[in-house]
Amino acid sequence: MFERRVLVTGGSGFLGSHLCDRLVARGDDVICADNLFTGRKRNIAHLLDKPNFEFTRHDVTFPLYVEVDQIYNLACPASPVHYQHDPVQTTKTSVHGAINMLGLAKRLKARIFQASTSEVYGDPDVHPQPEEYWGRVNPIGIRSCYDEGKRCAETLFFDYHRQHKLDIRVARIFNTYGPRMHPNDGRVVSNFIVQALKGQDITLYGDGQQTRSFCYVDDLIEAFIRFMEKDGVTGPINIGNPNEFTMLELADAVLDLTGSKSKKIHRPLPSDDPKQRQPDITKAQAEFGWEPKVQLREGLTRTIAYFDGLLKEGDPLIVGR
């Protein structure tokens, strides 16, 4: 018998596939549910012949009837390019998806993890962002479908916890990068790397002085598992790397590591784009002894190798850019 049965929604996506890897490797019986809007079958292809892994094509806006002990709810497009493609569906995925997964957890008395986001803080006027900060979010902007959808999902999780005594975990994820990022997700790390590898101009928005904090995917998944295994802690808890970099610094690091001759160009800053992002991870350190270990240049080197491999094999998502 396998140790436990675990459902991962969004399991063939960037984060979900890495989580499935860890859970399968430790012996859990894993059900990966994904509608493949942004997830890719290639991300989980190496798991399909494992006896303790099962893939089901499913959209979380519809109920799912399975028997599991734990649920990781990661289903939702997480980059502006993808979540703004169909903003109504994005909000449905966050809200209806949360309702459906919480209902499943309630019936099964299962522990449930919500992949929330640093976007709940909006364009913050508190820096770095602690969990107690309520945020500064535009409720009617072009990013609101994601920001407010995730905020509403957190509300639902805590109301299910208070009203039905549900065993919840809410993690607020800050910028994460690594192999299996979607080549066309429009995120800054994948954008810069693909542009550099193809010799295209590196696109910076605004003056390039806005900052982000980049967490390597392996560090993030370690935090997920530690948080889920910790009894009596609901969160919300920030998970991210507190080391802060400007977009110009990131672009220079990518150019250096790829040896690219790409030029840096500037474009207007998108609407509601946060100027700063940096997590306060004091709670993650105190509650389950976690802090990131992979430094930016090391993580970028691994990520560059992944995208270089996609280019060499002629992956249509990257070649056609």
Side-chain angles (χ1 to χ4, degrees), residues 270-289:
S271 175
D272 296 331
D273 191 56
K275 289 178 283 297
Q276 291 181 307
R277 268 285 184 272
Q278 184 187 17
D280 180 333
I281 62 167
T282 306
K283 284 192 175 177
Q285 291 167 320
E287 295 291 358
F288 41 88

Side-chain angles (χ1 to χ4, degrees), residues 4-11 19-20 23 28-34 54 56 58 60 64-74 100-101 104-105 108 110-113 228:
R4 61 168 71 83
R5 297 163 300 174
V6 184
L7 169 64
V8 180
T9 71
L19 177 60
C20 286
L23 298 175
D28 291 350
D29 194 5
V30 178
I31 300 173
C32 164
D34 202 303
E54 175 187 348
T56 181
H58 183 83
V60 294
L64 180 62
Y65 301 103
V66 292
E67 304 297 318
V68 293
D69 307 302
Q70 291 185 348
I71 300 167
Y72 286 85
N73 186 37
L74 274 60
N100 287 329
M101 290 304 109
L104 178 63
L108 299 173
R111 182 172 292 182
I112 182 168
F113 177 102
M228 192 63 148

